[in-house]
């Protein structure tokens, strides 16, 4: 963690855990073969509708953190990711995120594209051809 990300106690500031989780989600999607621009072009534009952080141990300035992402639920228009944040194998926090696929023109939910749902259910399926 960098100095500007910590609070007066020298801990990673609580709001920064959501930033860590967001970067982890983006990199997780990339590891599945997806880029954000391609997903948007193919009908996926997700928004976080719920974020829950479970703090376990404080992260401090200069800690190196790892973030592991797994999909815990897939619905018609939403999915849930659990982001496990750790330091040298020790649990720091878990961030649970509910994403909903949004039609930005109408600000309403819309179904997840089938190719994306398949990849969430079985990441070995990877992105569409």
């Amino acid at each position: 963690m960098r100095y500007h990300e910590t609070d007066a106690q020298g801990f990673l500031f609580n709001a920064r855990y959501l930033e860590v989780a967001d970067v982890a989600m983006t990199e997780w999607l990339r590891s599945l073969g997806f880029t954000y621009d391609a997903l948007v072009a193919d009908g996926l534009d997700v928004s976080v509708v719920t974020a829950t952080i479970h703090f376990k141990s404080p992260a401090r300035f200069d800690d190196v953190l790892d973030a592991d992402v797994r999909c815990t639920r897939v619905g018609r228009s939403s999915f849930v990711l659990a982001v496990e944040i750790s330091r040298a194998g020790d649990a720091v926090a878990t961030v649970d995120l509910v994403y909903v696929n949004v039609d930005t023109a109408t600000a309403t939910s819309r179904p997840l594209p089938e190719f994306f749902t398949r990849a969430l259910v079985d990441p070995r399926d990877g992105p569409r051809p």
Side-chain angles (χ1 to χ4, degrees), residues 116-129:
F116 187 74
T117 299
R118 280 195 318 269
L120 291 180
V121 171
D122 186 357
R124 295 170 296 173
D125 280 348
R128 65 175 174 69

Side-chain angles (χ1 to χ4, degrees), residues 45-57:
D45 197 354
V46 298
S47 293
V48 173
V49 296
T50 305
T52 307
I53 305 172
H54 305 275
F55 298 100
K56 299 174 182 177
S57 174

